[in-house]
Amino acid sequence: MSLFEDARKYIAGGVNSPVRAFAGVGGEPLFVKSAKGAYLYTEDGRQLIDYVGSWGPMILGHADAAVIKAVKKAAESGLSFGAPTVIETMLARKICQLMPSIEKIRMVSSGTEATMSAIRLARGFTGRDKIIKFEGCYHGHSDSLLIKAGSGALTLGVPSSPGVPAGLAEHTITLDYNDADAVKAVFAELGDSIACIIVEPIAGNMNMVPPVEGFLETLRNECTASGSVLIFDEVMTGFRVALGGAQAAFDIKPDLTTLGKIAGGGMPAAAFGGRADIMKHLAPEGPVYQAGTLSGNPLAMAAGLATLQAIERPGFYESLSARTRQLIDGLQGAAGAAGVPLSTEAMGGMFGLVFTADGPMRRFSQIAKADLDRFRKFFHGMLDQGIYLAPSAFEAGFVSSAHGDTEIGRTIDAATRVFETI
Ligand SMILES: *Cc1c(COP(=O)(O)O)cnc(C)c1O
């Protein structure tokens, strides 16, 4: 019996998060035994160059010595107290310094919790119910966010999962990413009933789609004009595309920001924060309730702090960006030589690869038309060559500071061989 078959006997679907099951690419998921630097080591004895990085957190590579040391030291002092610790203040101060739009912060344990809490806070602060989100963005799996655009009616959402009440769906408006005119139209009609916009300032959950010129500015302007809260979901992009996140890269100041992934350095930590006048509405200072038994967990804070201290080093993002660019240029060149149409994106340590001649990718509708069959062949071809990409065509990829010339070179060589076969 395979490890996956054994897991399926006890774990729903054999996995603790659906995309791990390889449903998008076929075959059985690999079981990871350990990881170090740019490499994963599987239970069946394979060594793989990893471009998933635990879906984003591992910007220093796996098992970074400083992070592991910090976590070990924290563990020796006790795992959880449910009372304040100094390291929570240290990580909070560090994040506020790196992202100046965050005046006050609250730690939570997952990105889902961060976005869910930020939306509740925006609703509580404004006294309004409606929220705007964009098709192709992912903000975790809380009920208000598992809503898609309804057919025809611009303003009436429908649940995208059974179990989400239709009554909630009517408060979520789903628009097309990068469609500033649609945002203006909704605000013209409903502006004073919109609590917030939540957006990935660079979309990383429909492969990688950057904002078009003026899109984020429009969101900022409309929210300011109508008293709505602008939430940048930087769970993925925070500390990934630039030290100050996408908000620094595009020079737009959101009212609230959600963080996760890198902020927890591979441990379950996430956060939301922003304007002090909004954050003061949170309990215990204010009436909007939010809490967590393990929030600010000392091991998670230690991993996050050690990670942020490492990425602050001068030149970190310059060399990470150059590495990512080297990979993407190499892949683009190899695809071109093989006559395979490929659209690519890269920023900081984040990249996108879409098999299409219809680039660059700016709309969800373009991504939805990409060649999935070719992606599946590419994914398995690369895996056979020892390269581990995200097992879905709709995910961004990640380069870490542990990826060196050797790893990038081996990846481009592998792709050169694989492109000939797909
Ligand atoms: C991963 C992700 C989330 C959800 O975070 P979890 O820790 O998986 O709950 C939310 N928003 C964005 C943009 C993400 O990439």
Side-chain angles (χ1 to χ4, degrees):
M1 190 187 332
S2 75
L3 294 172
F4 189 50
E5 282 162 17
D6 199 27
R8 287 176 70 154
K9 286 200 290 182
Y10 307 103
I11 299 172
V15 289
N16 287 311
S17 195
V19 73
R20 296 179 197 172
F22 273 34
V25 289
E28 288 204 344
L30 295 161
F31 277 62
V32 176
K33 189 171 186 180
S34 67
K36 179 76 190 162
Y39 293 91
L40 289 182
Y41 300 88
T42 66
E43 292 284 355
D44 61 359
R46 292 205 249 176
Q47 183 197 45
L48 304 169
I49 300 175
D50 180 26
Y51 289 100
V52 182
S54 188
W55 301 94
M58 312 317 300
I59 194 165
L60 305 176
H62 294 281
D64 175 78
V67 176
I68 297 298
K69 188 173 160 214
V71 172
K72 274 188 177 158
K73 187 164 164 248
E76 303 281 358
S77 304
L79 298 181
S80 177
F81 318 115
T85 55
V86 170
I87 196 159
E88 291 162 84
T89 313
M90 291 168 74
L91 181 59
R93 182 191 300 126
K94 178 62 64 192
I95 292 174
C96 292
Q97 282 166 353
L98 295 178
M99 281 191 182
S101 75
I102 302 181
E103 295 167 352
K104 291 278 173 65
I105 197 165
R106 169 87 32 106
M107 302 295 177
V108 292
S109 300
S110 74
T112 292
E113 224 185 321
T115 55
M116 179 186 80
S117 305
I119 283 172
R120 181 181 305 139
L121 177 58
R123 284 173 163 158
F125 172 71
T126 56
R128 304 169 180 178
D129 286 340
K130 290 204 185 305
I131 67 172
I132 294 179
K133 70 174 192 63
F134 297 94
E135 189 157 32
C137 287
Y138 175 69
H139 305 292
H141 63 89
S142 73
D143 284 353
S144 284
L145 294 166
L146 285 185
I147 310 284
K148 61 186 175 191
S151 56
L154 180 70
T155 55
L156 215 64
V158 293
S160 58
S161 164
V164 175
L168 254 186
E170 67 187 54
H171 298 302
T172 301
I173 299 167
T174 303
L175 302 177
D176 201 9
Y177 192 76
N178 274 334
D179 187 349
D181 289 340
V183 175
K184 287 182 194 157
V186 168
F187 271 91
E189 206 178 312
L190 297 167
D192 56 7
S193 58
I194 293 166
C196 65
I197 297 180
I198 184 164
V199 66
E200 288 181 73
I202 297 169
N205 286 285
M206 50 168 157
N207 210 284
M208 180 174 171
V209 178
V212 296
E213 178 113 31
F215 178 61
L216 298 176
E217 287 80 356
T218 299
L219 305 187
R220 179 64 278 173
N221 294 341
E222 295 294 333
C223 282
T224 302
S226 73
S228 309
V229 175
L230 179 60
I231 305 172
F232 273 9
D233 180 357
E234 296 227 45
V235 170
M236 183 184 291
T237 55
F239 314 117
R240 170 54 67 184
V241 297
L243 184 57
Q247 55 193 268
F250 294 108
D251 196 21
I252 305 275
K253 197 172 169 189
D255 301 308
L256 294 177
T257 298
T258 55
L259 296 168
K261 298 187 174 131
I262 292 172
M267 294 285 290
F272 64 103
R275 272 167 48 191
D277 66 314
I278 300 178
M279 293 299 286
K280 78 165 197 270
H281 287 254
L282 268 186
E285 259 182 297
V288 179
Y289 195 68
Q290 190 279 333
T293 301
L294 292 176
S295 293
N297 174 267
L299 273 65
M301 297 296 100
L305 186 61
T307 300
L308 297 193
Q309 283 166 344
I311 65 177
E312 260 189 310
R313 285 193 309 259
F316 182 88
Y317 285 90
E318 286 78 356
S319 86
L320 184 67
S321 302
R323 208 52 100 194
T324 310
R325 179 46 57 203
Q326 181 189 354
L327 172 72
I328 290 311
D329 287 350
L331 294 179
Q332 189 80 70
V340 172
L342 182 67
S343 174
T344 60
E345 298 289 344
M347 191 166 182
M350 178 171 170
F351 66 85
L353 302 174
V354 181
F355 290 102
T356 176
D358 179 33
M361 298 287 102
R362 295 295 177 266
R363 295 297 181 108
F364 178 72
S365 54
Q366 288 176 289
I367 297 277
K369 281 187 295 212
D371 190 340
L372 295 186
D373 190 48
R374 197 166 230 160
F375 171 78
R376 277 183 213 110
K377 288 182 186 145
F378 180 65
F379 170 85
H380 283 292
M382 292 297 274
L383 194 53
D384 289 344
Q385 300 278 331
I387 314 292
Y388 187 63
L389 298 164
S392 160
F394 300 103
E395 304 290 344
F398 304 110
V399 173
S400 80
S401 57
H403 288 73
D405 269 335
T406 311
E407 288 74 29
I408 302 290
R410 275 184 52 197
T411 305
I412 295 168
D413 289 346
T416 304
R417 290 188 287 275
V418 174
F419 284 140
E420 293 297 338
T421 68
I422 62 169

